[in-house]
Amino acid sequence: MTNIVLLLTNDQVQEVKNAYAKNQVSRNAPGVVFAAKLTDTSITAYKSGKVMFQGGGAEREAARWGTATTNAKSSAAKGDKLPENFADLSVAGSDETGTGDYFGPVTVAAVYVPADKIPLVQELGVKDSKMLTDDYMRKIAPDLMKACTYSILTLRNDKYNALQAKGYSQGKIKALLHNQALKHVLNKIAPEEPQYILIDQFAVRDTYYRHLQKEKEIVRDNVLFSTKAESLHAAVATASILARYAFLKEMDRLSELVGYTLQKGAGSKVDVMAAKIWKTKGEETLRSISKWHFANTEKARKLLK
């Protein structure tokens, strides 16, 4: 029996939960936070971030989410081997956020940081966005936008839900957005070209490009993929900050729409808030500000009953 183990981020584990919510089963084993059963595959997610795929369809399902874990330390980045002194090169990078949040959009940012601007963006406060607070990112993002060539795409909930209803997976949606944002940046800086393009990896290379196979223009030259990419080059770290900034701005708009601050993430507090909005504002309002296919929708429906 095929057995594949992936090491995923918290957001990616939440995506796995959302994707297989309809196939969820109970599995009371130590460390298990989620389990699902397909006709040919069992999926088990653990507190450690590891997700195990077992069965005849394990390779197919695992390919949706990343590359198998190795004996390397779990804190190490995984993906393409980067050139020496990569952090000092001229690079365009892209990252996304919002994929694991029930409320709010999916946002993707691409940024070009040439070698001579790396000290500047670092001086402006760029580092791994997971080490920064939302308030700090709100503060430094406008200055970064003035200093760098960038593209920010915000996929609002109505369009997200429409694409999802057509059968688009989150992986496909993200691939389309990354490709579009990178095209925008490359067009803006032409005829200058980055030495490399680094994408914060959410899918293996073949899967990423399979999502894009029907696109007229696909960014392929000198593209590298890596997990934890925001820690590998200032371009991705900057993109991560700008993507988060755009997400927060849209969350502000939606919060104003409903009259109070929307809960981030996809936990039990979100279920309660969703039920409250459903009851007081109606189903259409809730649908317009949420990722409707998430398991939170059914949990909110049960709370209403």
Side-chain angles (χ1 to χ4, degrees):
M1 179 173 66
T2 303
N3 187 331
I4 298 175
V5 178
L6 306 182
L7 183 62
L8 305 180
T9 65
N10 291 337
D11 281 351
Q12 288 173 319
V13 171
Q14 185 60 52
E15 290 178 38
V16 170
K17 292 180 181 180
N18 295 329
Y20 300 112
K22 294 181 180 178
N23 307 101
Q24 185 171 359
V25 296
S26 178
R27 189 163 296 160
N28 297 319
V32 172
V33 295
F34 175 81
K37 177 68 176 174
L38 309 182
T39 55
D40 60 355
T41 313
S42 295
I43 300 104
T44 309
Y46 296 89
K47 291 180 181 178
S48 63
K50 291 183 178 179
V51 180
M52 182 166 61
F53 300 82
Q54 295 175 296
E59 290 186 9
R60 178 195 69 237
E61 296 303 318
R64 296 174 59 184
W65 308 104
T67 53
T69 57
T70 66
N71 291 328
K73 292 182 179 180
S74 61
S75 60
K78 296 177 176 64
D80 293 327
K81 184 177 180 181
L82 305 183
E84 290 186 13
N85 302 320
F86 183 79
D88 300 322
L89 302 179
S90 297
V91 171
S94 61
D95 200 0
E96 85 285 330
T97 194
T99 56
D101 295 89
Y102 179 65
F103 295 118
V106 172
T107 57
V108 171
V111 179
Y112 176 52
V113 179
D116 60 358
K117 278 193 176 180
I118 293 174
L120 172 60
V121 298
Q122 290 174 338
E123 185 177 336
L124 291 173
V126 168
K127 53 184 175 181
D128 182 348
S129 67
K130 293 179 177 61
M131 300 170 63
L132 305 177
T133 65
D134 284 348
D135 286 343
Y136 188 75
M137 286 188 278
R138 286 181 188 270
K139 180 180 177 181
I140 68 174
D143 288 335
L144 293 172
M145 293 162 70
K146 293 176 183 177
C148 302
T149 302
Y150 69 93
S151 173
I152 299 175
L153 301 178
T154 299
L155 183 67
R156 290 183 171 178
N157 296 98
D158 55 346
K159 292 185 178 180
Y160 174 93
N161 289 330
L163 290 173
Q164 197 277 329
K166 289 181 180 179
Y168 285 47
S169 66
Q170 269 205 354
K172 183 177 179 68
I173 291 171
K174 288 191 289 185
L176 291 168
L177 292 172
H178 275 260
N179 187 63
Q180 186 176 351
L182 287 166
K183 283 193 301 182
H184 290 169
V185 168
L186 293 178
N187 288 336
K188 288 179 180 179
I189 67 173
E192 185 177 356
E193 295 181 355
Q195 290 171 276
Y196 291 95
I197 293 169
L198 180 61
I199 297 174
D200 190 53
Q201 182 172 307
F202 55 87
V204 294
R205 180 182 296 273
D206 288 348
T207 301
Y208 176 85
Y209 283 114
R210 188 164 61 246
H211 288 319
L212 300 175
Q213 59 187 341
K214 294 184 179 179
E215 293 298 292
K216 291 182 180 179
E217 294 182 58
I218 302 175
V219 178
R220 294 181 182 273
D221 293 343
N222 299 318
V223 173
L224 299 171
F225 295 83
S226 180
T227 61
K228 304 182 185 298
E230 64 275 8
S231 65
L232 301 175
H233 197 280
V236 183
T238 304
S240 182
I241 291 167
L242 297 191
R244 185 65 178 177
Y245 177 69
F247 172 80
L248 293 171
K249 285 185 67 176
E250 177 64 4
M251 283 289 276
D252 290 343
R253 188 186 74 84
L254 297 178
S255 295
E256 187 174 346
L257 182 69
V258 297
Y260 43 84
T261 302
L262 290 172
Q263 186 75 34
K264 299 181 184 71
S268 58
K269 291 182 179 179
V270 170
D271 301 337
V272 174
M273 182 169 285
K276 178 182 177 181
I277 294 169
W278 202 334
K279 181 177 180 179
T280 59
K281 304 287 185 178
E283 179 179 319
E284 285 307 309
T285 296
L286 177 60
R287 188 186 291 266
S288 72
I289 64 174
S290 69
K291 298 177 182 71
W292 191 250
H293 69 105
F294 274 30
N296 303 88
T297 298
E298 287 307 309
K299 292 177 181 178
R301 191 192 304 273
K302 290 178 180 178
L303 287 174
L304 279 180
K305 293 180 179 179

